[in-house]
Amino acid sequence: MESRVPRTARIALNRPLRRLFDYLIPEGMQVTRGQRVQIPFGRQQLTGLVVETDVEPPEGITLKTINHALEDWQALPPETFELLSWASTYYQHPLGECLFTALPPALRRGRPAREKEEESWVAQSSGSELPANAYRQKALLQWLSQQPAPASTGAIIKAGFTSAQVNGLTGKGLIERAKQDSNPAAAPLSPDLRPTLTPAQQHAASQLPAGREGFDATLLYGITGSGKTEIYLHYLKEHLTDTGQALVLVPEINLTPQTVARFRHYFGDRIVVWHSALNDGERLNTWLKVRRGQPVILIGTRSAVLLPFTGLETIIVDEEHDSSYKQGEGFRYSGRDLAVYRAHLNKCPIIMGSATPSLESYHNARQGKYRLVRLEERAKKAVPPTLSLLDIRSRPLEGGLSRPALNAIRDTLDRGEQALVFVNRRGYAPVMMCFDCGHMVECPRCDTRLTYHRRDRAMRCHHCDYQAAATSHCPKCQSEAFKPVGQGTERTEDTLAEAFPSVPVVRVDRDSTQRKGSIQAILEKVNSGAPCVLVGTQMLAKGHDFPNVTLVVVVNADGGLFSVDFRAPEQLIQTLLQVSGRAGRGNKVGKVLIQTCHSDHPLLKSLCTENYLSIADQLMAEREQGQFPPFRHMAIFRAESDTMQNSLELLDAIKPSASGPGIEIWGPLPALIARRADRHRAQLVLLSSQRGRLNAVLAGICQHLDQQKLPPKVKWMVDVDPMEIG
Ligand code: ADP
Ligand code: ZN
Ligand code: ZN
């Protein structure tokens, strides 16, 4: 018999620390990797996650003992754990924070892993029986009666009411608890109402992996309107077993409620959703469903890839090129790339679809790492829209729109159809300028100009939260020749409203869609099909299916043509093709007019004559020439502090340890927007063709920086596979 050695556990905490903590396991307690435990830490009680057991603790320290395990099962099952610990090494982010990102907020805080019954409420009266001075209660009743579904207590509080008001109304019987599961339980559509695949779709579908045969990655290049969603639905119908789980990643759910509705038509209540608008209770409940292995088809944004699936059979990543898959702060992972690794760990197929695949994925396809499946016909009768360039160098513009563009909009409306106008900036104008002294109004806290927002008479910084009241004269010389310069969505909206007074002009941007449900209301209006003009930002480019939009006008395509960011041309082409793809999706032919001052630019010219993959081939050749990603791997160290000197010094200090064979270094240099919210930002870019070497160098530097005592207010971070440089 062996003598009893006290058992130990190595534990990760939800802290930005690149280290773990050893504890004794009380006698008789069973713990394994991935389990939640409660531990004494200083004078606090913290929730930790077990990383390993029975490893030799460092010598000479007295270990404290775990208090108790929070449950007798692993909050992070083995495959999820492995995914996260791989990600921690790959993205150089502390393991503890990576692991805790995968827990719902309630479980991070040590709450029990039990379903939370979220109460939801419905109005029972219009409130006429309330005393005249009970305006808040009346307002709540009115708000409730306008909600499409029962509202949870959390949602009510988010909308600005209090639980006291809820209690008051319950006491008077004016509102009632709704039955549980307020998800509008869409019954699946009867099979004969579901579309059958077109011959082109069938051909594409036949090239997809048969499932259950191990890891297999496919890039589905399907032009806009080719019906990629239909392919996903059929694929799941055919290959997902009754007990299996599936993950469908999408960029932003709230923008495309139609997609979720289509999945519900096929799979009814098997569909669950995961996105940033869920409250803590909803998050916990959905997380538990997944953890219990219920056979869900989970449609979710980026972080859904971290959910604790145990029976995953298929992964789908829709619009795989979308930059929202990359987390921009903290644990800077790519949801798409983790999805590929997850499929690999789990030995299951993954399908990544896009009309404009990222050069990274396309590179993998060209190298034979991914299957490439092409779907180059639209699902409905219409052919892809025709694109043409409209040179605006010598044309007078009204609200950014040229005469031919306005005429084309008029013709479209006259035919009873809809037009969409794309402007890449929200607000009224990107800058206010004095025509006497030349002064342009800048943000006092950033190296940027303030955007003029006419609707609420404000000048706002789009890079920090600074805002000031708009003035009618120059703040510097008091001249009244103080005018907006350039185009924003509000300004174009005004021009359109004036030019077409008899049709609705609907603006879609972050400002107009802030209120919950407003985007849904807008989409419903557009889908009714009546003539209207939509004007908006990127938001309009994302996955929408507006059958009656037959004209798209791009106000100015020149933004990305001369940028220093090596990704700018790729992103420009993707945005232009995605927004163009909103035209002619029904049974009528669509037309796209792209206004530009550079109509002879080769990139814009090829946009009108070639398909995306051949443009991608050209862009790829340029990337190869410059040895940019995907031909080399990139990582960026960023530093920020209250002076530029401190930021540059920090990066200068790490530069020698970054240097070495096989690594190219740029910088340190001030960032493109060097000062943001009064923080001075600099960066050091590392490039290498060997992922392993780059990773080892990054790890060494991170470890070193962790042990340094940095001057106060100096912060650093590392971004692996950055989406933005500058
Ligand atoms: P994508 O995501 O590839 O741009 P969608 O999946 O939104 O395209 O499909 C475009 C339109 O074509 C949608 O209105 C969809 O309902 C319709 N559609 C797709 N496949 C079929 C089909 N096989 N039969 C009829 N309509 C289809
Ligand atoms: Zn600012
Ligand atoms: Zn002036």
Side-chain angles (χ1 to χ4, degrees):
M1 287 300 288
E2 53 186 314
S3 71
R4 223 198 85 80
V5 185
R7 301 193 55 202
T8 61
R10 191 154 279 179
I11 288 169
L13 295 175
N14 192 13
R15 296 275 165 104
L17 302 170
R18 252 166 263 270
R19 60 164 294 198
L20 303 169
F21 300 87
D22 289 341
Y23 281 81
L24 294 173
I25 302 174
E27 207 165 327
M29 183 193 278
Q30 293 299 321
V31 291
T32 44
R33 166 177 294 179
Q35 218 173 319
R36 285 199 307 158
V37 290
Q38 201 70 11
I39 52 164
F41 189 82
R43 271 188 262 156
Q44 292 170 290
Q45 287 290 319
L46 294 182
T47 303
L49 280 161
V50 176
V51 173
E52 264 176 297
T53 50
D54 303 318
V55 276
E56 192 84 7
E59 268 174 44
I61 51 166
T62 325
L63 299 186
K64 292 188 182 175
T65 307
I66 294 175
N67 278 346
H68 59 275
L70 282 153
E71 49 265 324
D72 56 11
W73 42 272
Q74 300 151 291
L76 298 176
E79 185 217 300
T80 310
F81 193 97
E82 206 175 327
L83 174 77
L84 292 159
S85 72
W86 178 83
S88 162
T89 316
Y90 184 91
Y91 292 106
Q92 301 297 337
H93 197 75
L95 180 63
E97 283 195 338
C98 294
L99 296 176
F100 274 83
T101 308
L103 294 182
L107 299 194
R108 289 178 208 158
R109 293 194 301 265
R111 297 283 159 76
R114 250 184 278 116
E115 250 84 1
K116 199 169 160 207
E117 295 226 352
E118 255 268 303
E119 285 176 317
S120 294
W121 305 90
V122 278
Q124 296 295 319
S125 138
S126 64
S128 49
E129 52 277 79
L130 281 171
N133 62 359
Y135 356 84
R136 287 311 288 165
Q137 292 194 1
K138 276 190 181 163
L140 172 51
L141 272 179
Q142 196 188 4
W143 181 84
L144 264 182
S145 60
Q146 287 165 354
Q147 299 308 302
S152 66
T153 312
I156 290 175
I157 289 168
K158 240 189 223 168
F161 301 97
T162 63
S163 40
Q165 287 153 2
V166 173
N167 292 339
L169 290 173
T170 327
K172 300 187 185 95
L174 300 180
I175 63 173
E176 266 184 18
R177 271 182 197 83
K179 288 190 197 67
Q180 269 300 302
D181 201 9
S182 51
N183 252 340
L189 209 61
S190 74
D192 40 298
L193 285 177
R194 295 178 193 148
T196 44
L197 294 184
T198 63
Q201 288 171 334
Q202 268 171 28
H203 180 65
S206 71
Q207 299 167 61
L208 296 173
R212 337 227 86 224
E213 284 169 16
F215 173 71
D216 192 319
T218 304
L219 178 61
L220 171 63
Y221 163 63
I223 63 166
T224 55
S226 60
K228 291 181 286 295
T229 312
E230 219 53 51
I231 301 246
Y232 306 147
L233 289 166
H234 278 256
Y235 187 79
L236 291 173
K237 204 80 209 161
E238 199 159 314
H239 296 289
L240 187 65
T241 65
D242 287 345
T243 52
Q245 298 178 318
L247 167 64
V248 181
L249 284 182
V250 294
E252 269 155 282
I253 289 190
N254 296 329
L255 293 181
T256 49
Q258 293 165 325
T259 307
V260 177
R262 276 166 76 187
F263 274 85
R264 287 227 161 95
H265 278 323
Y266 271 75
F267 297 103
D269 291 339
R270 202 169 168 184
I271 301 299
V272 291
V273 295
W274 180 265
H275 53 82
S276 60
L278 298 185
N279 64 37
D280 285 4
E282 291 166 322
R283 267 171 206 279
L284 178 60
N285 293 353
T286 304
W287 187 92
L288 284 167
K289 261 190 195 168
V290 173
R291 177 65 188 92
R292 295 208 175 96
Q294 288 183 30
V296 295
I297 297 173
L298 188 131
I299 306 182
T301 49
R302 184 176 61 221
S303 63
V305 75
L306 308 177
L307 284 167
F309 294 98
T310 50
L312 202 53
E313 291 181 351
T314 300
I315 303 179
I316 289 166
V317 183
D318 192 23
E319 311 289 3
E320 68 82 30
H321 66 279
D322 199 285
S323 59
S324 72
Y325 284 125
K326 179 82 156 100
Q327 166 95 10
E329 53 194 35
F331 175 20
R332 292 171 165 75
Y333 65 96
S334 151
R336 176 200 63 209
D337 294 349
L338 286 191
V340 174
Y341 191 72
R342 180 150 215 169
H344 178 79
L345 280 176
N346 200 56
K347 302 186 177 59
C348 75
I350 176 168
I351 300 171
M352 290 163 274
S354 174
T356 54
S358 64
L359 294 189
E360 278 75 8
S361 298
Y362 183 43
H363 182 63
N364 283 328
R366 292 209 312 188
Q367 290 199 316
K369 289 189 190 157
Y370 298 172
R371 291 168 194 251
L372 179 64
V373 175
R374 293 162 170 252
L375 179 56
E376 294 177 276
E377 267 173 45
R378 281 199 157 175
K380 295 192 179 160
K381 296 228 171 52
V383 290
T386 52
L387 277 70
S388 42
L389 301 178
L390 197 57
D391 202 300
I392 50 172
R393 255 172 299 193
S394 53
R395 289 184 202 272
L397 300 178
E398 293 169 47
L401 292 162
S402 61
R403 235 335 85 205
L406 283 164
N407 289 342
I409 297 172
R410 172 161 297 113
D411 292 345
T412 305
L413 296 171
D414 287 348
R415 286 195 305 271
E417 297 161 6
Q418 301 169 333
L420 186 159
V421 178
F422 173 72
V423 187
N424 61 5
R425 171 89 68 148
R426 67 195 166 90
Y428 189 83
V431 57
M432 289 296 287
M433 189 174 119
C434 173
F435 284 75
D436 273 332
C437 76
H439 178 65
M440 292 192 249
V441 186
E442 293 183 347
C443 175
R445 310 179 57 211
C446 307
D447 293 336
T448 54
R449 294 180 181 137
L450 295 180
T451 302
Y452 174 43
H453 286 252
R454 185 162 171 179
R455 301 283 178 274
D456 29 36
R457 294 172 210 288
M459 289 194 281
R460 297 211 175 100
C461 175
H462 287 187
H463 299 274
C464 73
D465 54 10
Y466 180 84
Q467 74 168 17
T471 55
S472 57
H473 50 264
C474 170
K476 204 165 161 203
C477 76
Q478 311 305 319
S479 159
E480 298 205 341
F482 183 58
K483 298 204 176 104
V485 177
Q487 298 312 315
T489 46
E490 289 181 359
R491 191 174 204 174
T492 309
E493 178 189 21
D494 287 357
T495 306
L496 290 164
E498 208 169 293
F500 308 108
S502 60
V503 298
V505 175
V506 186
R507 179 164 54 94
V508 182
D509 57 26
R510 192 139 39 99
D511 302 317
S512 74
T513 55
Q514 240 165 17
R515 270 185 315 115
K516 207 176 170 183
S518 48
I519 183 90
Q520 273 78 354
I522 291 171
L523 297 179
E524 267 166 40
K525 194 166 184 176
V526 179
N527 283 324
S528 74
C532 72
V533 187
L534 278 156
V535 51
T537 54
Q538 299 270 10
M539 275 187 161
L540 282 177
K542 300 215 168 174
H544 305 290
D545 191 36
F546 305 128
N548 207 26
V549 168
T550 55
L551 173 71
V552 165
V553 175
V554 175
V555 166
N556 193 326
D558 303 342
L561 285 178
F562 305 100
S563 165
V564 294
D565 189 338
F566 72 92
R567 282 188 209 278
E570 176 190 355
Q571 284 165 350
L572 174 70
I573 292 297
Q574 288 169 340
T575 305
L576 291 178
L577 280 177
Q578 291 289 345
V579 74
S580 303
R582 303 314 116 201
R585 293 170 71 90
N587 292 320
K588 298 172 200 136
V589 181
K591 189 165 130 181
V592 181
L593 290 178
I594 299 174
Q595 297 193 143
T596 173
C597 293
H598 303 277
S599 57
D600 44 4
H601 195 288
L603 195 57
L604 292 181
K605 275 162 75 178
S606 48
L607 187 66
C608 300
T609 52
E610 288 169 44
N611 73 19
Y612 177 76
L613 287 192
S614 61
I615 302 176
D617 285 328
Q618 296 165 31
L619 294 175
M620 201 82 95
E622 286 167 22
R623 294 271 187 99
E624 185 163 18
Q625 183 104 46
Q627 287 293 296
F628 285 111
F631 296 92
R632 280 194 296 180
H633 310 292
M634 185 182 265
I636 299 187
F637 275 98
R638 302 180 205 275
E640 55 173 63
S641 76
D642 47 355
T643 67
M644 182 53 79
Q645 194 186 344
N646 280 345
S647 299
L648 289 171
E649 270 172 15
L650 174 86
L651 297 176
D652 270 326
I654 61 174
K655 189 170 175 174
S657 24
S659 316
I663 305 235
E664 185 178 328
I665 305 176
W666 301 342
L669 282 172
L672 219 51
I673 298 178
R675 185 177 51 113
R676 198 155 167 171
D678 278 330
R679 308 279 294 161
H680 296 261
R681 307 152 70 234
Q683 60 186 36
L684 185 73
V685 177
L686 274 60
L687 281 154
S688 174
S689 54
Q690 297 151 272
R691 174 72 73 184
R693 254 205 68 64
L694 180 63
N695 205 266
V697 165
L698 296 179
I701 297 175
C702 290
Q703 205 119 60
H704 170 75
L705 282 173
D706 266 354
Q707 285 151 11
Q708 296 298 299
K709 199 163 157 39
L710 300 178
K713 297 192 181 158
V714 176
K715 269 174 53 181
W716 64 273
M717 54 220 109
V718 58
D719 192 352
V720 177
D721 304 338
M723 281 306 282
E724 287 166 49
I725 64 165

